[in-house]
Amino acid sequence: MPIKLFPNLRLLNPPLSATRFPSMNLKPSVNSSRAIPAFRRIFPFKLKYLGLPTRVNSQQQQQQQLGLRKLSTRPFRPAASSEFGRRGSRAGEIRGSKNLIDDEAELSDWVSDLRTDSFHSNKRFSKDDDVSDFRKGSGRENRGSYSMKRRRKSDSDDSYDSSRRGNRNSVNSFSRNNISNNTSRFSRRSNSELEAGNVGRKTRFSNDDENDVGEERRRGMSGIRDLLSEEVSDNDDDDDDSVLRNNARSLIGLDKENGGMSVAISSPGKHDSFMSESRFDQCSISALSLKGIKDAGYEKMTIVQEATLPVLLKGKDVLAKAKTGTGKTVAFLLPSIEVVIKSPPVDRDQKRPPILVLVICPTRELATQAATEASTLLKYHPSIGVQVVIGGTRLALEQKRMQANPCQILVATPGRLRDHIENTAGFATRLMGVKVLVLDEADHLLDMGFRKDIEKIIAAVPKQRQTLLFSATVPEEVRQICHIALKRDHEFINTVEEGSEETHEQVRQMHLVAPLDLHFPLLYVLLREHVADNPEYKVLVFCTTAMVTRMVADLLGELKLNVREIHSRKPQSYRTRVSDEFRKSKGLILVTSDVSARGVDYPDVTLVIQVGLPSDREQYIHRLGRTGRKGKEGQGILLLAPWEEFFLSTIKDLPILKAPVPSVDPDTKKKVERALSHVEMKNKEAAYQAWLGYYNSNKKVGRDKYKLVELANEYSRSMGLDNPPAIPKLVLGKMGLRNIPGLRSK
Ligand SMILES: Nc1ncnc2c1ncn2[C@@H]1O[C@H](COP(=O)(O)OP(=O)(O)OP(=O)(O)O)[C@@H](O)[C@H]1O
């Protein structure tokens, strides 16, 4: 019987109408010639499961492809009878229900619904089958020191969002063999095809996407009593474990390097698959956890799970890198849960019961998603409680909730967690019990924007703990500073094959370089064609800032596309609703800021369009990673202005092709202009100001303030404004843009 998580949730507001605006009366066209279908020029090859396009090595080959191949953008869909399809539906039933709450009132309902015994009691454990786990220690050995260097928090305002994940509707199980025929040709594509400009400097616009609505989990408890009476042995087979560990070691080519730090370079095989051949029961995982895993629809481990689990179960600190959408959440949750199982039971009457596992995620969506995944895995561990603290609601409400239902596993966003450390009585004491600290999207969390909060959090948990750092991207700077969280002898497990790209081979990437005034018409043309070609389209359009996102969503809505928007300026209840709708829907375009860039697990995204400069290489990779998850195929388009081309040099090692700029017929241009004229003036003004702020913070573009203002005014014209909107003097002062010609102040 599938268990529904959070079955009683209701939508408080009706879904947004896809056609919010009356249709426009367009004048007859001056020139009715239709542009060459843009998508077909950009993606001229048909996607096939077992026949990805040959990777081209030269411009000629590329042009040959563009001219000769049959054109289609229909995404690959596995046959209904495939293993993927079967398991997908099972997992979908479990996970398909709403996993977030809609408002504070609902949160209160949840609180009162919660079980009161969400932590171990001695009595319970004397009966539980998990009891054998208690005999074992956590296996932690070394204690590391960390530096507490304080650094300046990077620029961050509302516009520079951050992101993360949702529930999962299907489980793919492509084995490496499954896609053996479709990979290597594509990887032969040459970087020389890139027309890269100047070397761009890396900039990061981190912001803490916090103050959001909290979420409570609701676990299906049916059948728990029966299960508790079953014989359950802890599957602690050291031999199995060491075999698996050896497999993983040979798979990842473990090496010892300087300073006692182990460095693992992976070689998961030449195919871009995320599944391994190892089963979860080959690891020392408790039988009840294995039941939860099975119910979640997971049979074999993904590559990252296979590589990290044996090491983590031994209690080692790990920095792990694995491509987007390859199961990192389960990889860090499972060993964390095992630590809780093996810990001595907590007296339920204890005033300040310890938090044993602390998971930090950069955004509310991600934290909620991780907590939901934890709930799924804990299905047969009713005595283990999970809670999230993510803001978006009153601190007092979260305090009350935590008091009413203490938990052993806490998932949090950094800012809100820091609030609790500073303002919640007894919370700091509870954190002294932490045995496992997880930083999900570690590179982002160790970035300037979060550094202070993370340092504060690290100072609040015991030095003697296990620390897990996971991300799809681990830039060298992060390797340099990861010692602030990790022990010296931690292992770096990199499941991205040496010399291979950090993105998925089955996701075709293109970049388009066109003047700013063409960006809106081009975006419309690209979307229109994708929608026409893909009945089950599901598109993410990433914009640079929250206010730009709002404006672009308004525009696309005026153009009668089925759009939703999500960004940090929207209330959390709205974000939750839209995110959930997008997760479940097909035939929808989600216009988004970087709140959706990292980790959010939307199934079956067919296309990701990035409009304008991504904040850095990592953000480009994470945004692109919203498609092509779990071995599926996808497409990505990066739309840049000529003066943004320098960014391409930062991703020149990725298989991204230059696409010819589609022509936009006058009709379409007019249509877009007309739609722009219907977009609210205040939204355009806000977009202009946010745009200016974003590019001003970019080290390269923001260096020449005169040029920057010229470009901003070009952007203003592209929105159909004759004069650039006036900006408050105070704001201009803060941006360092006072007295720059071309700006209007108020
Ligand atoms: N062993 C498994 N078998 C099949 N599917 C799995 C397995 N483990 C995880 N998954 C599924 O894979 C999907 C991606 O997982 P997850 O969101 O953890 O990816 P990720 O690597 O953290 O991605 P990102 O880097 O974008 O955060 C999820 O839908 C998850 O349910």
Side-chain angles (χ1 to χ4, degrees):
M1 175 80 171
I3 290 173
K4 292 265 182 200
L5 293 174
F6 320 137
N8 301 330
L9 286 166
R10 61 196 183 276
L11 294 178
L12 298 182
N13 297 322
L16 295 175
S17 163
T19 51
R20 285 173 289 170
F21 305 99
S23 57
M24 290 172 289
N25 269 331
L26 291 175
K27 287 182 186 155
S29 66
V30 181
N31 177 351
S32 63
S33 67
R34 187 163 153 66
I36 297 170
F39 241 93
R40 294 177 183 191
R41 293 184 57 188
I42 293 168
F43 293 115
F45 23 74
K46 192 175 175 75
L47 283 171
K48 281 185 192 146
Y49 173 38
L50 291 175
L52 273 177
T54 305
R55 251 174 147 194
V56 287
N57 283 317
S58 69
Q59 191 83 24
Q60 289 95 316
Q61 276 172 297
Q62 184 192 352
Q63 278 158 6
Q64 201 181 359
Q65 269 189 338
L66 293 170
L68 298 178
R69 301 249 183 157
K70 167 125 177 48
L71 313 174
S72 170
T73 61
R74 282 202 178 84
F76 160 72
R77 249 162 252 112
S81 61
S82 71
E83 194 185 3
F84 173 86
R86 286 198 308 274
R87 282 196 281 141
S89 61
R90 184 149 50 110
E93 281 175 286
I94 295 166
R95 293 148 174 268
S97 52
K98 193 169 169 68
N99 64 352
L100 298 163
I101 60 158
D102 282 321
D103 65 3
E104 290 182 26
E106 196 153 14
L107 180 60
S108 310
D109 292 349
W110 282 55
V111 171
S112 57
D113 273 1
L114 277 172
R115 294 161 55 89
T116 52
D117 56 350
S118 66
F119 57 95
H120 294 316
S121 70
N122 288 318
K123 192 163 162 255
R124 176 177 291 282
F125 271 96
S126 66
K127 284 184 190 166
D128 273 355
D129 42 27
D130 289 344
V131 73
S132 58
D133 290 328
F134 290 116
R135 287 196 293 271
K136 289 183 263 161
S138 67
R140 283 176 289 106
E141 297 122 7
N142 300 302
R143 292 144 201 233
S145 62
Y146 51 89
S147 80
M148 293 295 293
K149 280 182 213 150
R150 304 257 159 174
R151 307 248 170 101
R152 190 176 57 85
K153 192 165 176 157
S154 70
D155 291 337
S156 100
D157 73 18
D158 76 287
S159 320
Y160 311 143
D161 306 323
S162 46
S163 77
R164 202 135 234 241
R165 60 197 78 181
N167 76 354
R168 296 83 202 262
N169 289 342
S170 61
V171 180
N172 194 352
S173 66
F174 289 178
S175 73
R176 266 176 258 164
N177 298 337
N178 284 134
I179 58 169
S180 61
N181 295 333
N182 70 356
T183 52
S184 53
R185 282 178 296 151
F186 195 67
S187 66
R188 269 183 254 126
R189 184 183 297 149
S190 158
N191 292 328
S192 64
E193 289 166 335
L194 285 171
E195 292 191 0
N198 305 328
V199 175
R201 279 206 224 146
K202 217 177 222 186
T203 55
R204 287 164 188 273
F205 309 105
S206 327
N207 74 339
D208 189 349
D209 171 34
E210 297 200 30
N211 310 314
D212 288 15
V213 165
E215 178 247 5
E216 275 301 343
R217 74 200 182 109
R218 172 172 303 180
R219 294 208 305 263
M221 297 297 169
S222 64
I224 291 289
R225 299 279 163 235
D226 295 344
L227 280 158
L228 289 177
S229 62
E230 280 181 31
E231 189 217 335
V232 180
S233 65
D234 180 34
N235 188 14
D236 185 23
D237 182 336
D238 271 340
D239 285 337
D240 249 5
D241 190 48
S242 59
V243 167
L244 188 63
R245 186 172 161 80
N246 287 338
N247 283 348
R249 278 179 178 270
S250 64
L251 176 77
I252 62 181
L254 200 63
D255 287 328
K256 280 274 176 193
E257 258 196 13
N258 44 15
M261 181 185 287
S262 304
V263 180
I265 307 296
S266 82
S267 179
K270 59 186 171 185
H271 309 302
D272 189 28
S273 170
F274 79 109
M275 289 308 298
S276 79
E277 289 302 321
S278 305
R279 297 182 322 272
F280 285 101
D281 61 13
Q282 289 174 266
C283 278
S284 307
I285 292 172
S286 66
L288 289 184
S289 293
L290 288 173
K291 274 178 183 282
I293 291 165
K294 197 169 172 223
D295 280 13
Y298 308 148
E299 284 175 10
K300 290 182 175 159
M301 289 188 267
T302 66
I303 299 279
V304 64
Q305 290 157 6
E306 183 194 51
T308 55
L309 265 169
V311 183
L312 291 171
L313 288 166
K314 296 275 180 211
K316 285 218 79 155
D317 279 11
V318 162
L319 167 63
K321 175 177 168 180
K323 290 185 186 182
T324 51
T326 57
K328 291 188 284 295
T329 316
V330 170
F332 64 68
L333 283 176
L334 265 182
S336 304
I337 289 169
E338 294 308 298
V339 168
V340 178
I341 294 167
K342 289 169 186 168
S343 297
V346 172
D347 182 350
R348 59 182 305 164
D349 297 326
Q350 197 173 327
K351 205 170 161 213
R352 285 165 186 167
I355 289 162
L356 301 174
V357 174
L358 180 61
V359 180
I360 314 290
C361 301
T363 65
R364 302 161 187 181
E365 279 82 2
L366 258 186
T368 309
Q369 191 172 279
T372 306
E373 184 75 271
S375 298
T376 304
L377 297 176
L378 286 169
K379 183 173 168 191
Y380 298 107
H381 294 293
S383 56
I384 301 177
V386 182
Q387 291 221 6
V388 279
V389 290
I390 53 174
T393 183
R394 291 190 311 276
L395 193 74
L397 199 60
E398 279 185 352
Q399 288 168 336
K400 222 168 109 187
R401 183 159 50 90
M402 277 196 289
Q403 206 176 9
N405 297 287
C407 60
Q408 299 95 328
I409 301 175
L410 185 70
V411 188
T413 48
R416 181 46 74 103
L417 186 72
R418 198 176 155 170
D419 263 9
H420 281 292
I421 292 171
E422 287 165 0
N423 301 309
T424 302
F427 188 75
T429 312
R430 293 193 63 198
L431 282 187
M432 289 315 291
V434 167
K435 292 183 170 178
V436 181
L437 172 68
V438 181
L439 301 189
D440 191 13
E441 304 295 343
D443 57 328
H444 197 35
L445 289 176
L446 293 171
D447 204 344
M448 294 303 190
F450 286 115
R451 187 81 58 80
K452 272 192 174 166
D453 287 337
I454 295 298
E455 284 174 350
K456 179 99 188 169
I457 291 161
I458 288 173
V461 297
K463 279 187 183 178
Q464 193 185 357
R465 62 167 196 274
Q466 186 183 13
T467 307
L468 286 50
L469 267 52
F470 276 73
S471 185
T473 50
V474 181
E476 192 45 40
E477 306 94 89
V478 171
R479 292 293 318 279
Q480 302 295 331
I481 52 118
C482 64
H483 63 271
I484 70 169
L486 294 167
K487 294 184 192 105
R488 279 184 68 80
D489 73 339
H490 70 267
E491 289 191 10
F492 175 37
I493 297 177
N494 180 2
T495 66
V496 182
E497 193 179 355
E498 201 180 10
S500 81
E501 297 97 12
E502 287 169 292
T503 50
H504 291 289
E505 288 176 356
Q506 75 277 10
V507 176
R508 291 169 306 133
Q509 304 170 54
M510 293 283 173
H511 67 82
L512 269 170
V513 179
L516 262 186
D517 66 332
L518 274 183
H519 279 202
F520 294 135
L522 279 175
L523 178 62
Y524 175 52
V525 167
L526 292 171
L527 287 169
R528 193 178 57 189
E529 301 246 335
H530 185 76
V531 168
D533 275 358
N534 300 275
E536 302 210 306
Y537 69 90
K538 191 163 176 176
V539 183
L540 278 162
V541 176
F542 281 99
C543 300
T544 46
T545 76
M547 293 296 91
V548 170
T549 301
R550 180 174 73 181
M551 194 276 299
V552 171
D554 282 0
L555 169 65
L556 298 178
E558 290 284 353
L559 287 163
K560 306 286 174 278
L561 290 169
N562 193 18
V563 290
R564 304 289 183 272
E565 67 183 290
I566 192 165
H567 49 78
S568 61
R569 291 291 191 91
K570 286 284 182 194
Q572 184 57 36
S573 55
Y574 175 95
R575 277 166 64 169
T576 300
R577 201 166 54 244
V578 166
S579 171
D580 200 44
E581 183 189 3
F582 188 68
R583 190 169 297 123
K584 291 174 187 159
S585 307
K586 299 246 158 116
L588 201 54
I589 298 165
L590 183 63
V591 189
T592 179
S593 66
D594 276 343
V595 294
S596 312
R598 282 179 177 251
V600 191
D601 191 38
Y602 293 127
D604 306 318
V605 171
T606 52
L607 171 68
V608 168
I609 302 184
Q610 308 190 35
V611 185
L613 210 56
S615 58
D616 55 28
R617 168 193 165 83
E618 284 71 39
Q619 208 70 343
Y620 170 83
I621 292 171
H622 284 275
R623 284 162 153 197
L624 183 78
R626 297 318 97 207
T627 186
R629 297 178 77 72
K630 300 198 289 181
K632 293 194 177 172
E633 297 193 338
Q635 299 164 0
I637 301 176
L638 174 62
L639 179 54
L640 297 176
W643 47 271
E644 291 172 310
E645 255 191 292
F646 69 87
F647 178 76
L648 296 175
S649 66
T650 68
I651 51 169
K652 66 177 179 228
D653 58 315
L654 303 180
I656 181 166
L657 285 171
K658 184 180 176 76
V661 178
S663 58
V664 181
D665 65 76
D667 264 1
T668 301
K669 255 189 181 161
K670 273 226 150 59
K671 194 173 174 184
V672 173
E673 278 166 22
R674 183 94 176 222
L676 274 165
S677 72
H678 288 130
V679 172
E680 267 191 74
M681 181 56 78
K682 72 170 175 39
N683 290 357
K684 289 191 221 173
E685 288 172 357
Y688 169 76
Q689 186 173 312
W691 192 99
L692 188 64
Y694 177 80
Y695 285 96
N696 187 41
S697 302
N698 180 279
K699 285 201 178 88
K700 191 163 174 65
V701 184
R703 196 183 299 150
D704 181 345
K705 304 295 181 203
Y706 294 87
K707 181 76 185 156
L708 170 74
V709 171
E710 268 175 37
L711 295 173
N713 293 352
E714 198 181 321
Y715 185 71
S716 159
R717 283 192 295 278
S718 80
M719 288 188 288
L721 300 177
D722 294 332
N723 289 312
I727 296 179
K729 282 196 180 95
L730 191 73
V731 175
L732 286 179
K734 279 192 175 163
M735 288 193 211
L737 294 176
R738 271 215 181 116
N739 304 322
I740 305 289
L743 285 176
R744 292 174 55 228
S745 62
K746 59 181 178 188

